[in-house]
Amino acid sequence: ELHMTGKVPTEKKLIGYFVESIERERMMKSERSHFKAHGEEALKVWWQERGKSAKKTDMSEVDFRTQGVVVDEVQLTGKIDKMHEEDGIVNVVDFKTGKAKYDWDGKDAREKITLHNYKRQLIFYKILVEGSHEYAGKSVGEGTLEFLEPVGGKIETLTSPITDADVERLKKLIIAVHNKISTLDFPDVEGYSKDLDGIIALEDALMEESAS
């Protein structure tokens, strides 16, 4: 509706779209009732905090399936939840339904890994945008996690700049992993710790081997 009319849907219409969508889902009646009530409550907060200030230039559910994004002959695809552009600079947004995170450090080993994966996803979005046919002239400056579960009546976000160094590292990792998969040469991971340090060490080893 925003792109067709230039007007932000009202809170009532937004919730109406949500209800229509959830009614089409196959689930138990008790589950539908739970998610419907929970979703309506969260959407009311989201509309006040984010929805009513949306701009016509904002893009949602952007599909890169036909955008011809390639990294060293590896074809990439994906969907970006939201893209917000201002003065030619794009902010890519990934919606999250889990518990809000307030910094990129992580409070424990498990959260550190989760945040590492979240950041990698945002970097991947930058590769999609800047490598696509349609958006090739645009630059992605930062990525944002937007947590849809309200905290104290607020929608929390976590933003990070995405550098060229971030992109180059992920491109090398994509190529290294693709080479392993295409040759069915799966690495032995027993020697790596199960924490973030172990994951990064494995990534480094894969990229070093691929470059040699």
Side-chain angles (χ1 to χ4, degrees):
E1 181 175 333
L2 177 62
H3 293 288
M4 290 187 295
T5 68
K7 297 180 180 179
V8 177
T10 63
E11 178 186 294
K12 183 178 180 180
K13 281 188 176 181
L14 179 63
I15 292 175
Y17 297 148
F18 166 71
V19 171
E20 289 176 7
S21 177
I22 203 168
E23 288 293 342
R24 291 194 296 267
E25 295 292 327
R26 297 181 64 181
M27 62 179 71
M28 296 176 60
K29 186 176 180 180
S30 58
E31 289 180 318
R32 181 177 286 108
S33 178
H34 168 76
F35 288 119
K36 181 179 176 182
H38 196 68
E40 286 183 14
E41 182 180 352
L43 275 174
K44 288 178 181 178
V45 176
W46 184 87
W47 189 86
Q48 288 290 336
E49 290 280 300
R50 293 286 185 272
K52 69 178 183 179
S53 60
K55 299 180 180 179
K56 190 175 182 178
T57 53
D58 291 347
M59 295 160 278
S60 301
E61 288 288 312
V62 186
D63 192 345
F64 286 80
R65 182 167 46 88
T66 60
Q67 289 293 329
V69 184
V70 176
V71 172
D72 194 34
E73 299 185 355
V74 182
Q75 187 170 348
L76 306 181
T77 186
K79 280 187 177 182
I80 298 180
D81 289 336
K82 178 182 174 183
M83 291 166 52
H84 172 77
E85 181 184 350
E86 191 167 338
D87 297 329
I89 304 298
V90 175
N91 176 28
V92 291
V93 180
D94 198 17
F95 294 145
K96 297 298 181 185
T97 57
K99 189 176 181 181
K101 317 297 182 191
Y102 299 98
D103 59 55
W104 291 99
D105 296 329
K107 64 182 181 182
D108 53 34
R110 182 177 180 180
E111 190 167 276
K112 287 178 186 293
I113 294 173
T114 297
L115 287 164
H116 179 71
N117 293 335
Y118 284 174
K119 177 67 179 292
R120 187 195 296 123
Q121 189 69 44
L122 294 175
I123 300 168
F124 182 75
Y125 288 165
K126 178 179 173 75
I127 294 173
L128 286 181
V129 173
E130 296 183 358
S132 66
H133 294 316
E134 188 172 351
Y135 308 103
K138 301 185 185 302
S139 175
V140 175
E142 60 185 19
T144 296
L145 305 176
E146 189 167 310
F147 298 94
L148 302 180
E149 184 73 26
V151 179
K154 299 288 184 181
I155 297 296
E156 298 292 339
T157 60
L158 182 60
T159 298
S160 173
I162 308 174
T163 67
D164 291 338
D166 291 331
V167 168
E168 288 308 307
R169 177 182 173 84
L170 183 53
K171 284 183 176 180
K172 290 177 182 178
L173 184 58
I174 288 169
I175 294 167
V177 172
H178 177 265
N179 290 341
K180 286 291 185 181
I181 293 173
S182 62
T183 60
L184 300 180
D185 180 20
F186 302 115
D188 182 1
V189 299
E190 289 301 319
Y192 297 93
S193 60
K194 308 304 180 184
D195 56 10
L196 180 57
D197 288 341
I199 291 173
I200 292 176
L202 175 59
E203 291 177 352
D204 290 340
L206 289 171
M207 289 185 289
E208 183 178 350
E209 181 181 343
S210 178
S212 62

